[in-house]
Amino acid sequence: MAVDPAFLANISLFAQLDDDERSVLAASMVEQPMKVGETLFKTGDPGDSMFIVHAGAVELYVKDKAGQKIVLHVAEPGEFFGELSLLDGGSRTATGCATVEGGLWILDREDLQQLFRKRPDAALDMLAAMGRMTRKANALLQARVSRNVNEEVEVDRGNIVMRVADVVADFSGSITFLVLHVIFFAIWLGFNSTPLAFDPFPYNLLTMTVSLEAIILSTLLLFSGNRSAARDRIRSDIEYEVNLKAELEVAHLHEKSDAMHEEMLERFSRIEKALNISTRTSKPMPAVEVRIQGDPSKT
């Protein structure tokens, strides 16, 4: 199946080419089908071509030292990838895996060089695409650094209602709140027990005031409780991430130690074989007595 030059016109890298140039470039491309879960290339593989997605999707990811997967980009139809190894001739810096069944167009190094000779602006478009991926990778790496719990908790502090709820919750749980209410109730009940009372027994006004205060206070406490639950979830997530990173790092160290152990055993085995061979070759040859049969009287 030949590449449609009109499809290349929708890609920023080839948009500045004329129809004839796009037709020549399309004729040099090769189609490659891909299935879900298929690995197109791995980190460290030699890179001598770039890929253009015309159907499906390809996930580009790397793994850090702890073994965690970091997704750099998901290439969809109309996007290209693999250009970095194609430009510098180095190995692949990421792993490409198909997440949606589809197909790719493959462009090799020689065809790309011819394109840059004809249209130098295409190199700038490719550099811009590489810059966007680099910025995205930097943002992902910064986001994966261990987070500060206090900073995460303070994200929603800009809401005035939530700040008031936190202040009220802190104050209502203090001894000052209790003492002030005891003093207030004592003064209210004492004054309304005199002839100048404005709220005599059974203190209906006091009951209504306390009921309104309970309603408002309980609502604010619920707000603060929800925020506390959100804080606890953030702390739990961060603790989980830290524990997961520690577990993966320990597993990675185990893999390293196992590899070193296997390498040492292999070296010891080679040394032992070399010593056995050296011992066998250094042994003196046994003396061989040669007797000549014949008449002893003859000389």
Side-chain angles (χ1 to χ4, degrees), residues 12-13 80 83-84 87-88 116 120-135:
S12 60
L13 183 61
F80 57 89
E83 69 283 354
L84 183 59
L87 290 176
D88 60 7
F116 289 163
D121 293 340
L124 295 177
D125 293 335
M126 181 172 287
L127 290 175
M130 293 170 59
R132 288 193 295 269
M133 292 187 65
T134 302
R135 292 177 183 274

Side-chain angles (χ1 to χ4, degrees), residues 40-91:
L40 304 176
F41 52 82
K42 296 182 179 180
T43 304
D45 290 348
D48 55 357
S49 60
M50 65 173 290
F51 303 88
I52 303 171
V53 183
H54 72 82
V58 177
E59 183 182 70
L60 305 174
Y61 66 90
V62 296
K63 289 187 177 181
D64 57 15
K65 293 183 178 180
Q68 290 182 289
K69 179 180 177 181
I70 304 176
V71 179
L72 301 176
H73 183 63
V74 178
E76 297 179 346
E79 296 182 336
F80 57 89
F81 60 92
E83 69 283 354
L84 183 59
S85 298
L86 184 62
L87 290 176
D88 60 7
S91 59

